[in-house]
Structures are given as structure tokens and as C-alpha cells.
Amino acid sequence: MHGKLILGILSALILLPACARRPVATDTSQAADIPKEIAIQKLKELLGGVEYVYCTEPKDSLKPSEIRSMAVSPVSLEVARSKGTSLIMAYREIRLVQAASAGNKQEGACRVFTTRTRSKDQDKPHFEFLFKTVAEAQQMTELLTALRKQD
């Protein structure tokens, strides 16, 4: 009995780092040169491939089947949930956008830190968008950086 418990705990400890998000370097130096209209169009196209959306305020995790729509405007990104109110991220509230690898797979995450995050949660992203690849997360990071700089 104790052997199975210890084995379970050890397995969990080994797998824990695999679930962590590790930042991935993303060159956003040219982001300000991306015209707003192009950034909006590319972001709309990219959001079609989102695998999952996490939000810390209000706390929610959404699969694609739980998302009614995602709207990209010149001032914000809105995730309309199937149930409940929409999640809105205004570009002017973005403090930091960071691409990260997600676990052992080639999955990527675009982590968005905003000024609306409570002071005790400043190290946690307000929004997190999961993609099949790190390259998609890096592209979203660049596009959101462009929109933040132009807002």
C-alpha cells in the first residue's frame, strides 16, 4: 500500500516540470512596424487555431466548443463564451506578452499579463492562449505586441 502511494507521488513530481510553461524567446523588435489593420487580420486568422483559452480574472478555462466567437477590434480582443459574459482584453491594458512552450509536446502558449491583474497575482498571466505549435504562440505574441504599441 505504501509502495503504491510513494510511486504515485514520485510519478507526479517527475511529471510536474513537464507541465510547466517555459518562456520562448520571441523577436518583437519589428512589431511596431506591423500596420494595425494587418495585425488585426492576422490575429483573427490565428485565433481559429486556438486549442484552449485560460483566464485568471474571472477564472475560466475554455475549450473551442465552449467559445461562441472571438472578435478582434482595433482596441480589444473579445472571447464570447457559450455561457456567461464575454472575456475582454483591451490592448492598452497589456503589460507584457510572452510566448512559452507547453509541456513535453511542441505545443505553445501565448501568455498575456495585464494591468487588471491583482497585485498578488502579478506573476500570473491574465490570459493564456494555447496552440498546437510554439510558432503560433510566437506569432500571437508579436501581433499583440504590435497592437499594444499602437493603441
Side-chain angles (χ1 to χ4, degrees):
M1 178 73 175
H2 292 303
K4 287 183 180 180
L5 178 62
I6 291 172
L7 183 61
I9 292 171
L10 287 175
S11 296
L13 290 175
I14 290 169
L15 293 175
L16 188 60
C19 298
R21 309 272 191 258
R22 292 176 298 283
V24 175
T26 304
D27 181 12
T28 58
S29 61
Q30 303 297 316
D33 297 336
I34 301 172
K36 188 176 242 183
E37 298 78 25
I38 291 174
I40 290 170
Q41 182 59 40
K42 286 186 176 184
L43 189 56
K44 285 178 184 179
E45 294 167 9
L46 189 61
L47 287 171
V50 168
E51 297 283 305
Y52 228 86
V53 176
Y54 296 102
C55 182
T56 55
E57 290 179 39
K59 191 164 180 67
D60 207 348
S61 301
L62 301 169
K63 298 181 280 191
S65 62
E66 299 170 321
I67 298 171
R68 191 168 17 111
S69 66
M70 286 197 236
V72 181
S73 78
V75 295
S76 67
L77 186 152
E78 180 178 353
V79 179
R81 299 183 277 187
S82 297
K83 296 178 182 176
T85 59
S86 294
L87 305 173
I88 299 173
M89 175 179 58
Y91 308 132
R92 70 182 177 335
E93 294 177 339
I94 295 174
R95 285 188 300 117
L96 172 70
V97 187
Q98 179 186 70
S101 62
N104 288 334
K105 301 177 184 177
Q106 293 298 321
E107 292 178 339
C110 177
R111 307 174 85 211
V112 184
F113 301 81
T114 69
T115 56
R116 287 195 301 161
T117 308
R118 292 179 290 208
S119 59
K120 68 176 186 149
D121 294 328
Q122 290 293 309
D123 60 333
K124 295 179 183 175
H126 187 176
F127 288 92
E128 195 165 17
F129 300 85
L130 263 58
F131 292 93
K132 288 182 180 175
T133 67
V134 171
E136 291 170 302
Q138 288 176 305
Q139 186 179 11
M140 184 168 182
T141 298
E142 184 178 25
L143 295 171
L144 286 177
T145 300
L147 291 167
R148 176 185 73 150
K149 289 182 177 181
Q150 295 177 22
D151 193 41

